[in-house]
Amino acid sequence: KKVGEVKECYNTAVTTAAANHRERRKFLRTALKELVLICSDQPGLLGPKALFVFMGLCFSRDEIYWLLRHNENPPPRQGKVKLQEDLVDRYLPELLFHMEELRSLVRKYSQVIQRYYVQYLAGYDAVALAQMI
């Protein structure tokens, strides 16, 4: 019984994983593009949006690693033609470009991010510490 469930889960993962990751890369391309546009127009937003910036960069990195790993060693399955279409991403350079743009914005405006978090910690933690004492 358990072996059948594992085989069913494996077959489901093999048939849907490539398409799911393709859609995730498409979403990340548009999300990073919008984030670059917002942060380049308003660099002061890099402080409050730093968590989103780093999450977007990490998710994008993970998707690129997944694509490279599975492009080299595709899982065995019957319909290999569709899998190869999902593993070839013509828009990967665009995702890499947006990642690099976002990275350069973070490096360029690192002082803005630092200043934001110093002020945030001074304001928030000082009040909480004063209440505790």
Side-chain angles (χ1 to χ4, degrees):
K1 182 178 177 182
K2 295 282 185 187
V3 174
E5 289 177 13
V6 170
K7 284 183 181 180
E8 182 182 341
C9 289
Y10 171 78
N11 289 333
T12 303
V14 166
T15 56
T16 61
N20 288 342
H21 283 278
R22 184 188 67 232
E23 292 301 317
R24 191 173 297 159
R25 286 190 306 273
K26 188 190 320 183
F27 169 76
L28 284 169
R29 266 195 312 274
T30 58
L32 289 185
K33 183 178 181 179
E34 291 173 3
L35 205 51
V36 165
L37 290 174
I38 289 171
C39 292
S40 61
D41 188 41
Q42 300 287 326
L45 288 177
L46 270 173
K49 299 286 185 192
L51 181 63
F52 293 113
V53 169
F54 293 131
M55 284 173 32
L57 289 172
C58 287
F59 290 147
S60 301
R61 179 205 56 203
D62 292 343
E63 284 303 312
I64 290 170
Y65 283 163
W66 185 93
L67 183 66
L68 293 175
R69 192 176 307 120
H70 287 82
N71 206 4
E72 284 294 318
N73 301 313
R77 75 175 218 195
Q78 293 80 17
K80 292 185 179 182
V81 175
K82 182 64 175 161
L83 179 66
Q84 287 300 341
E85 290 176 8
D86 288 339
L87 291 179
V88 174
D89 192 355
R90 297 182 308 145
Y91 299 106
L92 187 62
E94 184 182 351
L95 180 62
L96 291 169
F97 174 74
H98 293 311
M99 288 175 67
E100 182 60 29
E101 266 191 320
L102 209 49
R103 188 189 70 83
S104 66
L105 283 173
V106 168
R107 290 180 60 96
K108 183 177 180 181
Y109 296 110
S110 64
Q111 295 297 319
V112 173
I113 298 171
Q114 286 178 344
R115 191 175 333 114
Y116 171 80
Y117 281 103
V118 165
Q119 290 173 356
Y120 177 77
L121 290 174
Y124 179 75
D125 285 344
V127 173
L129 185 60
Q131 288 176 353
M132 290 174 69
I133 295 176

